[in-house]
Amino acid sequence: MTVVLVAHGTRDPRGAVVVEEVAALVRARLGGVRVEVAYADVRQPDVTSVVGGLDGPVVVVPAFLAAGYHVRVDVPQQIAASGHGDVVVTEPIGSALLPAVRERLREAGWRPGDAVVLAAAGSSDPRALADVAGVAGVLGAEVGYVATASPTVAEAVAALKARGRRVAVASWLLAPGLFHQRLADVGADVVAEPIGAHVRVVDAVLLRYYEARCFLQVA
């Protein structure tokens, strides 16, 4: 059995480093299980080429924080194009990562009483936006988007600043890249780092893998 960790992809090499770090940590925890990395967009190798080059059962784990277009459409299409007939695609990993987001906020200088804006990439898929809203609700945060959806992070920050609040931005992004770079200019008092190769990310990938293994055994 092989695990394929699928990330969005970014032109920023630091993003690829984070994905490879997560894959290495998963590989170490799983012992002899093969773990490969693929990208849904922007970077190579893509999902089709990675999955198509594998033998035996494959578990594809989308390293995404919400189930938007890439998770629901792009990744399944790329798997179908690979011609591999023994693939299970898990749910994305986002729902398990709130503790990591809180930790990154504290590291950045969040103070009790700060207003928080959850900065997400954005999506045209209302189901993905609902995922983000659910996370923000648990975090007690306002939602702001870097692209595609509204309000923007800058708009959400400005609205809170207009009420005299000190504002911390929580990065609902897995790895560094263009989207996270944009957060430096939104006017917040504190901007947390992306989640990165946090132990919670590794745990979430492992959970999805074990869920898929149970499915394969039942099937």
Side-chain angles (χ1 to χ4, degrees):
M1 186 176 296
T2 303
V3 177
V4 177
L5 185 67
V6 179
H8 181 281
T10 173
R11 292 179 179 83
D12 190 323
R14 296 173 299 169
V17 167
V18 167
V19 176
E20 292 292 348
E21 286 176 350
V22 171
L25 291 167
V26 171
R27 202 174 287 121
R29 295 269 292 273
L30 288 178
V33 177
R34 184 176 178 181
V35 179
E36 300 290 341
V37 169
Y39 295 96
D41 198 7
V42 182
R43 295 188 73 89
Q44 293 293 322
D46 62 13
V47 180
T48 299
S49 60
V50 172
V51 173
L54 298 172
D55 296 318
V58 177
V59 176
V60 171
V61 181
F64 285 76
L65 305 185
Y69 176 84
H70 284 304
V71 173
R72 297 184 186 277
V73 178
D74 196 23
V75 170
Q77 285 181 348
Q78 290 190 41
I79 291 170
S82 76
H84 199 300
D86 194 4
V87 181
V88 173
V89 184
T90 75
E91 292 295 312
I93 63 173
S95 59
L97 302 183
L98 264 173
V101 172
R102 290 193 177 102
E103 185 174 325
R104 296 295 184 231
L105 271 173
R106 289 192 295 269
E107 291 169 351
W110 169 86
R111 302 174 189 169
D114 284 353
V116 177
V117 173
L118 184 70
S123 174
S124 58
D125 189 325
R127 295 167 295 186
L129 301 185
D131 288 347
V132 175
V135 170
V138 175
L139 191 62
E142 302 291 329
V143 177
Y145 295 101
V146 183
T148 308
S150 62
T152 67
V153 179
E155 288 168 345
V157 170
L160 291 166
K161 284 284 196 178
R163 296 180 228 162
R165 303 292 301 276
R166 186 176 188 268
V167 181
V169 170
S171 181
W172 192 234
L173 302 167
L174 183 63
L178 176 61
F179 282 178
H180 188 264
Q181 290 172 15
R182 292 177 181 173
L183 300 183
D185 300 321
V186 297
D189 299 284
V190 170
V191 176
E193 290 297 311
I195 296 166
H198 194 281
V199 66
R200 292 282 185 169
V201 176
V202 179
D203 289 344
V205 173
L206 291 172
L207 175 62
R208 296 297 185 230
Y209 164 71
Y210 287 122
E211 289 171 344
R213 262 188 41 174
C214 290
F215 174 82
L216 288 167
Q217 289 169 358
V218 170

